[in-house]
Amino acid sequence: MTDRTEQAPFWPAPTAPGAVDATVMVPGSKSVTNRALVLAAHSTEPGWVRRPLRSRDTVLMADALRAMGVQIDEVVNPAGGEAWRIIPAGMHGPATVDVGNAGTVMRFLPPVAALADGPVRFEGDARASERPLHGVIDALRELGARVDDEGRGALPLTVHGAGSLAGGAVEVDASASSQFISALLLSGPRFNKGLELRHTGRTLPSLPHIRMTVDMLRIAGAKVDAPQDGGTRDVWRVAPSALLGRDLTVDPDLSSAAPFLAAALVTGGRVTIPGWPRRTTQPGDRLRRLFTEMGGFCEVTDRGLTLTGSGRVHAITADLREVGELTPVVAAVAALADGESVLSGIAHLRLHETDRLSALAKEINGLGGDVTETEDGLRIRPTPLHGGVFHTYEDHRLATAAAVLGLAVDGVEVENVATTGKTLPDFPRLWTGMLAGADTRPFTGAARPWGDPETNETRG
């Protein structure tokens, strides 16, 4: 199979020559990496984040923390591992933070900036200014912070840090994004009175991400009372406390495994993802159930997760409220299924990197599909598809969904496949390597000597 270039304006998505049979090592979790960086910055002693994801979103997070005075040094292992050493310091302004279009950066860091000494300006991509931040901004004001956003409830904005924040009780409607809650929880231990946060909205999407935040806070030494432990519904309490520097190894990003596992399902082949954890709060673990319902067979062993396709793709009716980030790839697979699929509970995806529901309907229909938007999701009826341009709207998950469709549809041209660098650096090489049956591993850059992390040469 020819390895077609990803440098062209439109990337020709390779058609599968047959059933895939490959092992694909996906990089680390973006969600875990960025939460770990924030918690380490709040800690009272240095910490380590090992095997982090190095992507646009995580580099933006690291650079933002550096701009506020946190020291982050990097060491690379010749065997492919990488470690970041985080040395907390008194955070300060003035500073300017580029959030790109990263939800975790634009939402997690304003509470951090409120604890810094001096003003911190937040700017980002054009789409970032259209994404809601009102939940974080309003809550910070209630907790005692000064935030200038000219009434937009969105970027750009300036947080005038005073070195501390009173904290206490606050109500937040997080219907638009669970990140509003995670953002406040991550900095809650540093607030003078801690935090008592009550969600007031009708729905709360992406609960697994909030559970991830709570688990990681506890690993860092925070005392958290959460609904997941039988506490008061929709109320989280964080006691004021010092956080401890930890040595954390980041698990693979299970959501980033979605297109590769989908390839096994679509082609009737087999794909193994090494390092799949037996216990995890990552939303991507739901793929095991979803793809089993759609015709695959999943097995988790000490080696990792192996998904084997049956040669048929079944339609599915699924509420994806808690795992909305999986929707683009699931929708692509559903467009190749044997019947009508209904995906629901995902109205909040209209506020993600792009309006994902509208974009998926438009782009799949542009290839001859039959997708209609519902009030809170998509209805997908299978029809014969044809080639054409699949626009990605600078959304990494749209690009990987297009690649999945390209496995079965000749002539799919993916606009700006480089946008996958947000969470899946080097995606085109991993994808073509999988189709060639290779044991594919993500590129980690130039190797450096690896020994005692304390004595290795590092770069800040």
Coordinates of all heavy atoms in Angstrom, one line a residue, residues 9 27 62 260 286 290 296 308 374 384 450:
P9 N -2.8 19.7 1.0 CA -3.9 20.4 1.6 C -5.0 19.4 2.0 O -5.7 19.6 3.0 CB -4.4 21.4 0.6 CG -3.2 21.6 -0.3 CD -2.5 20.4 -0.3
P27 N -0.7 7.4 22.2 CA 0.0 8.2 23.2 C -0.8 8.4 24.5 O -2.0 8.0 24.6 CB 0.3 9.5 22.5 CG -0.8 9.5 21.4 CD -1.0 8.1 21.0
A62 N 1.4 23.5 29.4 CA 2.7 23.6 30.0 C 3.3 25.0 29.8 O 3.8 25.7 30.7 CB 3.7 22.6 29.4
F260 N -8.7 3.6 15.8 CA -8.0 2.3 15.5 C -8.9 1.1 15.8 O -8.9 0.1 15.1 CB -6.7 2.3 16.3 CG -5.8 3.5 16.1 CD1 -5.8 4.6 16.9 CD2 -5.1 3.6 14.9 CE1 -5.0 5.7 16.7 CE2 -4.3 4.7 14.6 CZ -4.3 5.8 15.5
R286 N -15.6 3.2 27.6 CA -16.9 2.9 27.1 C -16.9 2.3 25.7 O -17.8 1.7 25.2 CB -17.8 4.1 27.1 CG -19.2 4.0 26.6 CD -20.1 3.5 27.7 NE -21.5 3.5 27.1 CZ -22.3 4.5 27.2 NH1 -22.0 5.6 27.7 NH2 -23.5 4.4 26.6
L290 N -19.6 -0.1 23.5 CA -20.2 0.4 22.3 C -19.8 -0.5 21.1 O -20.7 -0.8 20.3 CB -19.7 1.8 22.1 CG -20.3 2.9 23.0 CD1 -19.5 4.2 22.9 CD2 -21.8 3.1 22.8
G296 N -18.4 -6.1 17.5 CA -17.0 -6.6 17.8 C -17.0 -7.4 19.0 O -17.9 -7.7 19.7
T308 N -11.7 -7.5 18.1 CA -11.8 -8.3 16.9 C -13.2 -8.1 16.2 O -14.2 -8.2 16.9 CB -11.6 -9.8 17.2 OG1 -10.4 -10.0 17.9 CG2 -11.6 -10.6 15.9
T374 N -31.0 15.7 15.6 CA -32.2 15.7 16.5 C -31.9 16.8 17.5 O -30.9 17.5 17.5 CB -32.4 14.4 17.2 OG1 -31.2 14.1 18.0 CG2 -32.5 13.3 16.1
P384 N -25.3 4.0 0.5 CA -24.0 3.9 -0.2 C -23.3 5.2 -0.2 O -23.9 6.2 -0.6 CB -24.5 3.4 -1.6 CG -25.8 2.8 -1.5 CD -26.5 3.6 -0.4
W450 N 19.0 8.5 29.4 CA 18.0 8.3 30.5 C 18.6 7.6 31.6 O 19.2 6.5 31.4 CB 16.8 7.5 29.9 CG 15.7 7.3 31.0 CD1 15.7 6.2 31.8 CD2 14.6 8.1 31.3 NE1 14.6 6.3 32.6 CE2 13.9 7.4 32.3 CE3 14.1 9.3 30.8 CZ2 12.7 7.9 32.8 CZ3 13.0 9.8 31.3 CH2 12.3 9.1 32.4

